[in-house]
Amino acid sequence: MSLSTAMHPKPARGCFITLEGIEGAGKSTHIAALSALLCSMGIGVVTTREPGGSPIAERIRALLLDSSNTGMDETAELLLMFAARAEHLSKTIRPALESGAWVLCDRFTDATYAYQGGGRGLNPERIALLETLVQGDLRPDLTLLFDLEPALGLERARGRGTADRFESETLHFFDAVRAVYLERAHASPERYRLIDAAAPLSDVGEQADQALRALIETRRGETADASGEGEHL
Ligand code: T5A
């Protein structure tokens, strides 16, 4: 170990946590409370979203959500999602994780599998190729899947006013999106925590809170084992 490394040890990489689910599931509502929980435990946190989360990625988001962009080619939509993600990763997510902060991200690549794969019917193998190209081996440490019937989610989301380009899709589209989310959660139970998002707000918040606390405890245990010292992150 060099002297400078010994004096300024590199911080442990932060945890990368994603929130997923269909429209109106409650992701945006609960992300602030999860951020506050991490802060209260002395953990630095960056809260962000997709598509978006950095200046250029937010401009791509505007293109993707604009309901006047009718008839967008499905492959163009897929590539725009990953173009935004490449920017988001390099400008926001990777620097935050490397600084030791935890990242709470409202949607990530599971949404691409669900919407562009399930909803639009694009080949998931092509999505996987882009995932590797853009992310390398970076994957979320924990994904909270806020699950509910699409009819209920859309009723909540559309109750806010004008629908964006995705919110204007059919119930059939969102059934396919939800099915892919659930398949992925069942295939990787170590990464996903399923949240019953149809429950009252306070119950949903409690489920999300418990899932995050469990990860914090696991990470504390790993850090303590690695350092041979007391618990700290
Ligand atoms: N997309 C995104 C892709 O197609 N591919 C991709 O790769 C990615 C990354 C993004 C769109 O882009 C698509 C998916 C999306 O369509 P967005 O606006 O960011 O668009 O979409 P959402 O993240 O879905 O935003 P929503 O606001 O619609 O959903 P949320 O965040 O899950 O819901 P939230 O918290 O805003 O709640 C909606 C309303 O419901 C109420 C809230 O108070 C709020 O009014 N609510 C509840 N009411 C009663 N009980 C509960 N338990 C409630 N929970 C929430």
Side-chain angles (χ1 to χ4, degrees), residues 23-24 26-29 61 85 107 112 115-116 160 166 199:
E23 271 67 4
K27 302 175 296 297
S28 317
T29 301
R61 175 188 173 91
R85 186 160 298 133
R107 295 188 182 280
T112 313
Y115 284 75
Q116 281 65 52
R160 288 177 305 205
F166 289 97

Side-chain angles (χ1 to χ4, degrees), residues 3 69 97 132:
L3 184 59
N69 286 333
L97 292 174
T132 303

Side-chain angles (χ1 to χ4, degrees), residues 20-30 49-51 61 64-65 77 81-82 85 106-116 120 146 153 156-157 160 164-167 173-174 181 196-202 204:
E20 296 281 2
I22 61 160
E23 271 67 4
K27 302 175 296 297
S28 317
T29 301
H30 294 288
R49 69 172 179 183
E50 288 216 348
R61 175 188 173 91
L64 282 162
L65 267 56
E77 180 182 283
M81 287 295 174
F82 273 106
R85 186 160 298 133
D106 189 342
R107 295 188 182 280
F108 193 62
T109 306
D110 287 297
T112 313
Y113 282 100
Y115 284 75
Q116 281 65 52
R120 304 278 189 233
F146 290 75
R156 287 181 189 165
R160 288 177 305 205
D164 66 30
R165 204 170 62 83
F166 289 97
E167 286 165 359
F173 176 92
F174 289 102
Y181 269 136
D196 173 12
L201 265 179
S202 58
V204 177

Side-chain angles (χ1 to χ4, degrees), residues 1-14 97-101 223 226-227 229 232-233:
M1 186 188 294
S2 71
L3 184 59
S4 62
T5 311
M7 290 171 70
H8 301 289
K10 201 174 168 212
R13 172 189 170 282
L97 292 174
E98 281 158 23
S99 77
T223 310
S227 67
E229 295 167 10
H232 57 84
L233 287 167

